Amino acid sequence: MKYLRYLLIIPCLLLSVHSMAISESEKQLRAMFIYNFANLVEWPSKAFAKRSDPLKLCVVGDVPFIDYLYPMAGTFIGPREFQITQSNNLQKTGKCQILFVGDDIRPELLKAFKSGQYIYILSVSEQSGFIENGGIINIVNTVEKLSFDINLDSARKQGLQVSSDLISLARNIRKLQE
């Protein structure tokens, strides 16, 4: 009987170790999603003060995959250097072209969207109802895989051009009926 308990515990431990490995790979995948979004969206020249300004990603709040984003900093997306800043305060992000917000910042973000202060910004999150409330891309974890939804109306309002390649990969696309 004593050995039977050990036989039952070992598979549970192996499954928990396996789920941690999946969790790390999902974190890495989320970081790659954001980097690829940056490559597949075009910002108007008005989004930058100078032609040489970097493409800046502001990460706000508790974002568990931030460590997988940092190795991408310093690479170039088109002619612009990709830079990353992290903050726990939405008001202290400064000027950025991509804004990723953690769940802990959601109430603050919804107020900011309504104020209209986030023009020329690709907003990305993993929050339920994010694109319905003005966000542009929401990363979702379905049973089968990690995917994303896009709000094309919000992207257009922000002056952003989303490539057809990115649109074709989206799980759901929100847009006004034409």
Side-chain angles (χ1 to χ4, degrees), residues 6-8 15 19 36 41 87 95 100 106 111 113 128 141-142 145:
Y6 290 121
L7 288 175
L8 292 174
L15 282 174
S19 69
N36 286 320
V41 171
S87 174
K95 182 67 178 148
F100 186 91
R106 182 180 182 156
K111 290 178 199 168
F113 276 160
S128 176
N141 195 0
T142 66
K145 62 182 179 175

Side-chain angles (χ1 to χ4, degrees), residues 3-19:
Y3 295 110
L4 181 60
R5 261 194 296 180
Y6 290 121
L7 288 175
L8 292 174
I9 291 173
I10 290 172
C12 292
L13 290 173
L14 291 174
L15 282 174
S16 67
V17 169
H18 178 66
S19 69

